[in-house]
């Protein structure tokens, strides 16, 4: 099974100063990026598309699908990490966001810590593992997943380190794994022989954005 992960196109939140929730639309440049990556998938076999339900990802997936015309499903499993609701629609560098960001950094590796209603590390990892199981349950050979930068890094971290992954291990990978808007990451799942320790997931390509020039 081959899974092609695509980060959504450039959104208004990416270039703006305000923290958005689920409703940040693509910019004009983001829509062009989605068209560019769609052209790539004309040459790549795809059987099924999964998209995050967030506007920027859904819009990206819909643009791609106007060109490749495949069955598509929208799932909350693939949305971006949920932030504390207090910071939504506030300035990225404003006093509220700055204070909460500082508290989160101070408690980064404290088990089960959360500020309010956000996803903490354990929530996020659990959703990542569940999302991988969901992908495998589709039983398609070639799947395209349109998602978000942080969640993509969580998915790949779960592939590499599995259920035993710690918050420290995740944050080391998170810092090192850069993502670009509409970057393509290819992962392959190969079932292993029972009782062997080989990892069935393999990362073949990371953040390929050659279509952007």
């Amino acid at each position: 099974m081959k899974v092609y992960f695509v980060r959504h196109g450039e959104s208004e939140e990416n270039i703006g100063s305000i923290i958005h929730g689920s409703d940040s639309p693509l910019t004009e440049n983001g829509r062009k990026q989605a068209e560019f990556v769609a052209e790539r998938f004309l040459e790549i076999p795809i059987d099924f598309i999964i998209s995050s339900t967030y506007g920027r990802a859904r819009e990206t997936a819909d643009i791609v699908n106007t060109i490749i015309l495949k069955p598509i499903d929208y799932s909350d499993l693939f949305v971006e990490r949920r932030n504390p609701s207090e910071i939504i629609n506030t300035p990225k560098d404003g006093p509220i966001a700055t204070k909460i960001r500082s508290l989160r950094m101070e408690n980064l590796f404290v088990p089960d810590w959360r500020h309010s209603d956000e996803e903490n590390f354990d929530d996020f990892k659990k959703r990542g593992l569940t999302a991988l199981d969901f992908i495998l349950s589709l039983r398609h050979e070639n799947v395209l997943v349109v998602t978000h930068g942080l969640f993509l890094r969580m998915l790949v971290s779960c592939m590499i380190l599995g259920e035993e992954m710690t918050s420290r291990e995740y944050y080391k990978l998170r810092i090192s794994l850069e993502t670009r808007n509409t970057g393509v990451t290819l992962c392959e799942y190969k079932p292993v022989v029972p009782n062997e320790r080989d990892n069935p997931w393999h990362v073949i390509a990371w953040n390929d954005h050659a279509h952007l020039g």
Side-chain angles (χ1 to χ4, degrees):
M1 182 183 201
K2 291 182 178 178
V3 186
Y4 298 85
F5 295 98
V6 172
R7 184 187 175 199
H8 61 80
E10 179 187 83
S11 69
E12 294 289 349
E13 181 177 25
N14 291 151
I15 64 171
S17 61
I18 301 298
I19 299 170
H20 291 246
S22 62
D23 59 349
S24 181
L26 296 183
T27 62
E28 181 179 352
N29 183 50
R31 289 187 287 274
K32 290 179 180 177
Q33 291 173 339
E35 292 170 0
F36 291 149
V37 78
E39 294 291 337
R40 294 191 71 175
F41 283 101
L42 282 174
E43 307 299 325
I44 299 172
I46 295 295
D47 304 312
F48 194 80
I49 303 172
I50 307 168
S51 172
S52 156
T53 55
Y54 280 12
R56 53 197 183 273
R58 189 174 186 126
E59 190 176 356
T60 301
D62 288 345
I63 290 171
V64 171
N65 208 29
T66 60
I67 293 177
I68 68 172
L69 301 175
K70 299 296 179 179
I72 188 168
D73 185 31
Y74 306 93
S75 172
D76 290 335
L77 276 176
F78 297 90
V79 302
E80 187 56 294
R81 184 174 183 174
R82 188 176 67 248
N83 279 314
S85 57
E86 299 97 313
I87 69 173
I88 303 301
N89 296 322
T90 71
K92 293 177 180 177
D93 294 325
I96 297 173
T98 300
K99 179 181 178 180
I100 292 177
R101 189 161 50 243
S102 177
L103 287 170
R104 293 175 77 174
M105 289 304 297
E106 289 174 12
N107 295 278
L108 197 57
F109 305 124
V110 177
D112 297 323
W113 186 89
R114 73 179 74 242
H115 175 267
S116 56
D117 58 351
E118 78 277 15
E119 281 185 300
N120 65 15
F121 168 75
D122 293 320
D123 300 328
F124 203 40
K125 182 177 79 169
K126 181 178 180 180
R127 181 157 64 87
L129 292 166
T130 302
L132 293 180
D133 287 341
F134 176 77
I135 291 171
L136 294 177
S137 74
L138 297 172
R139 301 189 181 279
H140 290 293
E141 291 187 8
N142 302 284
V143 176
L144 170 60
V145 178
V146 182
T147 186
H148 305 262
L150 284 179
F151 191 58
L152 175 55
R153 280 176 269 188
M154 174 54 81
L155 286 169
V156 171
S157 298
C158 287
M159 289 178 188
I160 295 170
L161 297 171
E163 294 183 11
E164 304 305 315
M165 176 176 60
T166 67
S167 57
R168 290 184 184 276
E169 290 170 332
Y170 164 67
Y171 280 102
K172 285 181 180 179
L173 286 170
R174 171 180 162 175
I175 291 170
S176 299
L177 296 173
E178 293 289 335
T179 60
R180 289 279 297 274
N181 292 113
T182 67
V184 179
T185 293
L186 169 58
C187 299
E188 191 168 8
Y189 182 85
K190 297 179 179 180
V192 298
V193 177
N195 300 321
E196 292 189 2
R197 296 190 178 185
D198 291 341
N199 188 341
W201 283 106
H202 302 268
V203 181
I204 309 301
W206 173 261
N207 192 36
D208 180 354
H209 53 274
H211 51 280
L212 299 180

